[in-house]
Amino acid sequence: MKPLVSLITPVYNAMPYLADYLESVRNQTWRPMELILADDGSTDGSGTFLASECVKLERAGISVKLLELPHVSQAAAVNAALKVVSGELLTWCDADDVMLPECVEKKAAYLVSNPEIGMVRNDGLTIDVVNGNAVSRDSRESGRRTKDIFRDLFLQATYCYAGCYMVRMSLFDKCYPGREIPLSPEGQNLQLLLPPASRSVCGFIPDVLHYYYRRASGHSVSQKSYTQRRNRIRGFSILLGEILPFCTCDESFYREEIRRMEKEQIDRLNHAAATFARKEMGKR
């Protein structure tokens, strides 16, 4: 019997993107599948739209669980969804991305065929919505083989986009027996990925199966002040430190790595700020 795949999607004010995303879910070729939609207190009508779409998804053979939550964060929405996961395999995707039809099937089939491997990822495409260009394939420099990716993920040297990964729930539950990931304003992907990656190599499927859309309002392209950028660097350091106790690794070594990375990033930020200030002074 084919294993049930649970797909988690946190939603917060994603109304402009939901129709395309849910269509990509309906078009998935793998069954059985359950979709867990965790509405994080949307105020733009997303919750009402999701409720109206549940029937279509059920008719397509996809079981749907719709959670209506007070607004806290995407990570909190993921925690609520994790509590009701029924599947043997877990994947997740953001509500403003798109999965190609075989995205779930190819990852699930890989894990079925490779029972010794606990997680797998596929290639993807990053698309800049502002200018319409495809920016990059997400696997980039080092992802094109089955390997231990824990260090690369930790150092942010490889991609951790939602929609590209699938993890066995048996492995995930070893990492988080209470199915509760650390909360952070910096997101939820590292919490979901690092502990499993510390316990298993990650398989790789060299097919573009996911589109990640880089939007003007996103972290990577929006204009932020010096203080906001510095706070975000610090926020990632705090998050990594909170994830480490759930990982099987040399915790003291990686805590030193956190301090080193934070210093390097702050130094680069300070250098960029000083360069900008000199240029502004030169214009006067």
Side-chain angles (χ1 to χ4, degrees):
M1 181 179 294
K2 293 166 64 176
L4 173 66
V5 172
S6 294
L7 167 61
I8 287 176
T9 301
V11 178
Y12 179 67
N13 288 350
M15 189 63 199
Y17 322 116
L18 287 176
D20 287 343
Y21 172 65
L22 293 178
E23 181 180 6
S24 80
V25 174
R26 282 196 301 273
N27 290 339
Q28 292 304 300
T29 55
W30 180 269
R31 300 291 187 277
M33 188 167 76
E34 70 171 4
L35 173 63
I36 305 172
L37 296 161
D39 181 23
D40 183 33
S42 295
T43 59
D44 68 343
S46 291
T48 301
F49 181 77
L50 292 174
S52 70
E53 291 293 296
C54 287
V55 173
K56 295 179 185 177
L57 290 159
E58 296 274 1
R59 286 174 179 167
I62 299 170
S63 173
V64 183
K65 297 173 182 175
L66 176 58
L67 309 180
E68 298 177 346
L69 309 167
H71 177 55
V72 178
S73 68
Q74 282 199 327
V78 167
N79 275 340
L82 286 169
K83 297 295 194 302
V84 298
V85 163
S86 302
E88 296 175 50
L89 306 176
L90 172 68
T91 189
W92 56 96
C93 191
D94 292 337
D96 60 345
D97 292 347
V98 166
M99 299 181 296
L100 275 66
E102 292 184 304
C103 184
V104 171
E105 179 169 5
K106 288 195 172 183
K107 290 195 289 287
Y110 180 97
L111 290 176
V112 169
S113 299
N114 296 274
E116 75 284 0
I117 294 177
M119 59 190 298
V120 63
R121 61 180 175 170
N122 56 261
D123 204 351
L125 199 64
T126 301
I127 299 173
D128 189 331
V129 175
V130 177
N131 58 33
N133 293 334
V135 180
S136 66
R137 291 166 70 99
D138 292 338
S139 60
R140 293 192 292 273
E141 74 298 325
S142 63
R144 297 186 175 279
R145 59 190 176 91
T146 296
K147 58 181 288 190
D148 178 351
I149 63 169
F150 175 75
R151 183 170 174 79
D152 284 348
L153 280 172
F154 192 90
L155 298 178
Q156 301 172 49
T158 191
Y159 61 104
C160 64
Y161 296 140
C164 286
Y165 284 82
M166 183 176 286
V167 178
R168 296 185 192 277
M169 280 305 298
S170 57
L171 173 61
F172 188 86
D173 285 336
K174 288 179 181 177
C175 305
Y176 296 109
R179 296 192 178 181
E180 190 91 9
I181 65 172
L183 300 183
S184 171
E186 308 307 335
Q188 64 283 335
N189 290 332
L190 287 174
Q191 299 96 302
L192 292 166
L193 289 172
L194 279 171
S198 75
R199 291 169 169 83
S200 172
V201 297
C202 183
F204 181 71
I205 298 167
D207 299 327
V208 173
L209 300 174
H210 171 263
Y211 292 161
Y212 165 74
Y213 291 99
R214 182 181 295 175
R215 306 183 190 278
S217 60
H219 287 302
S220 58
V221 294
S222 60
Q223 296 297 316
K224 294 184 180 295
S225 69
Y226 171 86
T227 300
Q228 288 173 320
R229 291 175 186 272
R230 188 177 179 113
N231 288 344
R232 189 154 194 253
I233 291 170
R234 183 57 187 151
F236 267 113
S237 295
I238 292 170
L239 173 59
L240 287 172
E242 291 177 345
I243 296 172
L244 274 179
F246 298 97
C247 300
T248 299
C249 65
D250 184 341
E251 190 170 332
S252 61
F253 171 82
Y254 280 100
R255 290 199 181 278
E256 285 298 321
E257 288 289 272
I258 291 171
R259 286 188 279 271
R260 179 190 62 78
M261 289 190 295
E262 181 175 352
K263 183 180 183 304
E264 287 183 355
Q265 292 167 3
I266 294 295
D267 287 347
R268 285 197 297 269
L269 177 62
N270 288 339
H271 177 74
T275 301
F276 177 79
R278 286 195 297 270
K279 287 182 179 179
E280 290 299 301
M281 288 294 292
K283 294 178 183 178
R284 298 176 183 176

